[in-house]
């Protein structure tokens, strides 16, 4: 498998607490890899490592053959220019128009003329379905539109690797499905390698080519979406079937209790 990301024996501590426990996996190039797991499993910590915001206690993270764990800030910034990131809350600058938000990385990292930047901004906004909203401010947009605007900014520099942090969080099912379609479009049309951190199963089944599942800081599954769906592992089956870890009574017990009181 041609991998764009290779993680080897990654360990992370917060104080005395071990959060990631010898995590190892690869993410294939040109595909959508979903990092999945319940709350507190280590997904957000892993994402911070992948974009260079957090240094691990030990281990190696290779992006396009470069170990980012040993880079200084200048080296990390060079790598980040080839990455796009859609944060959970879109992270738009409220004092700037949508067009200026999208243009920001182009102005910061290129020497393009303003006229060219304007054309590229309009192209990116049109791609995410926000044509005509250039002069709106983030406060004037719905949650789904903010996510789309954040995505337009994330792809402004046409990165080869794109990260999504809980893209469906806070969105209604219809809006979330529209964002899923955009992710599929970016993979199919632009051949981007995409990493999505989520726990939303409908999105996972819609967009994933490859799945990494974490549980208590460990990788318990790494494989294709088809392999994931038929996995016999208890923890995965619990997740897919939305079964709680423990239940002291059944629904029938509950209704019998109510009837008796």
């Amino acid at each position: 498998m041609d991998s764009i990301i290779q993680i080897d024996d990654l360990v992370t501590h917060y104080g005395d607490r071990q959060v990631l426990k010898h995590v190892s996996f690869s993410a294939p190039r040109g595909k959508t890899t979903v990092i999945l797991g319940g709350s507190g499993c280590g997904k957000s910590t892993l994402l911070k490592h992948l974009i260079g915001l957090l240094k691990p206690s030990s281990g190696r993270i290779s992006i396009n053959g470069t170990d980012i764990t040993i880079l200084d800030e200048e080296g990390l910034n060079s790598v980040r220019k080839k990455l796009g990131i859609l944060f959970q809350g879109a992270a738009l600058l409220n004092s700037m128009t949508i067009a200026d938000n999208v243009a920001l990385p182009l102005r910061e990292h290129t020497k393009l003329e303003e006229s060219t930047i304007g054309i590229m901004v309009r192209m990116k906004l049109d791609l995410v379905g926000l044509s005509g909203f250039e002069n709106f401010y983030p406060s004037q947009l719905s949650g789904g539109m903010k996510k789309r605007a954040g995505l337009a900014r994330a792809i402004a520099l046409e990165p080869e690797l794109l990260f999504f942090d809980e893209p469906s969080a806070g969105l209604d099912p219809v809006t979330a499905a529209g964002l899923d379609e955009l992710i599929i479009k970016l993979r199919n049309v632009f051949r981007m390698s995409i990493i999505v951190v989520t726990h939303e199963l409908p999105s996972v089944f819609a967009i994933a080519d490859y799945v990494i599942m974490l549980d208590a800081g460990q990788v318990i599954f790494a494989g294709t979406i088809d392999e994931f769906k038929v996995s016999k592992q208890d923890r995965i089956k619990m997740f897919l079937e939305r079964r709680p870890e423990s239940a002291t009574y059944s629904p029938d017990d509950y209704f019998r209790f109510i009837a008796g009181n």
Side-chain angles (χ1 to χ4, degrees):
M1 180 177 67
D2 182 16
S3 302
I4 192 165
I5 293 176
Q6 176 71 47
I7 294 181
D8 297 302
D9 203 26
L10 197 68
V11 175
T12 300
H13 291 85
Y14 289 153
D16 294 331
R17 178 172 170 248
Q18 191 176 31
V19 180
L20 295 179
K21 305 170 184 177
H22 304 282
V23 168
S24 297
F25 67 85
S26 300
R29 189 181 305 275
K31 303 292 184 181
T32 298
T33 298
V34 169
I35 299 174
L36 181 67
S39 298
C41 70
K43 300 190 304 294
S44 296
T45 297
L46 179 56
L47 178 62
K48 290 176 183 177
H49 286 314
L50 291 174
I51 60 179
L53 293 180
L54 189 65
K55 291 281 189 181
S57 302
S58 62
R60 184 175 185 270
I61 302 171
S62 175
I63 296 180
N64 271 332
T66 299
D67 184 0
I68 67 170
T69 64
I70 61 175
L71 296 180
D72 57 17
E73 195 62 26
E74 183 178 352
L76 281 172
N77 285 335
S78 179
V79 171
R80 289 185 187 124
K81 290 177 185 179
K82 301 174 184 177
L83 312 179
I85 307 164
L86 176 59
F87 294 100
Q88 188 173 146
L92 299 171
L93 298 176
N94 291 323
S95 61
M96 300 171 64
T97 65
I98 298 306
D100 284 335
N101 267 279
V102 177
L104 186 61
L106 294 166
R107 289 171 178 155
E108 288 288 322
H109 300 298
T110 74
K111 297 180 180 180
L112 295 172
E113 298 287 340
E114 276 298 314
S115 58
T116 303
I117 290 176
I119 292 170
M120 295 183 69
V121 166
R122 289 193 293 274
M123 289 174 60
K124 296 303 186 291
L125 288 174
D126 182 60
L127 178 63
V128 301
L130 287 180
S131 181
F133 288 88
E134 291 87 348
N135 296 321
F136 281 61
Y137 285 86
S139 62
Q140 297 173 298
L141 303 183
S142 67
M145 294 170 76
K146 288 179 183 177
K147 289 283 182 79
R148 287 172 177 264
L151 178 54
R153 185 182 60 189
I155 62 175
L157 292 172
E158 301 183 358
E160 59 179 315
L161 180 57
L162 184 59
F163 293 94
F164 290 81
D165 182 17
E166 299 283 3
S168 300
L171 301 181
D172 64 83
V174 174
T175 303
L179 193 55
D180 288 343
E181 288 183 357
L182 268 176
I183 293 172
I184 294 169
K185 183 178 181 179
L186 290 171
R187 178 198 63 193
N188 292 343
V189 177
F190 297 96
R191 305 306 302 166
M192 288 184 181
S193 302
I194 298 173
I195 309 294
V196 181
V197 173
T198 186
H199 61 269
E200 300 285 346
L201 284 176
S203 290
V204 174
F205 295 145
I207 66 176
D209 297 305
Y210 201 75
V211 176
I212 307 296
M213 185 166 180
L214 298 180
D215 184 59
Q218 296 177 300
V219 174
I220 62 170
F221 178 86
T224 67
I225 183 63
D226 290 333
E227 293 168 338
F228 178 71
K229 289 177 181 178
V230 298
S231 173
K232 302 300 183 183
Q233 291 189 53
D234 287 341
R235 297 295 293 177
I236 295 175
K237 290 172 67 177
M238 285 177 62
F239 197 87
L240 292 176
E241 296 168 8
R242 302 183 69 222
R243 284 191 283 118
E245 289 199 33
S246 62
T248 57
Y249 51 80
S250 69
D252 288 341
D253 293 332
Y254 174 77
F255 287 117
R256 280 195 294 270
F257 172 80
I258 295 296
N261 287 273

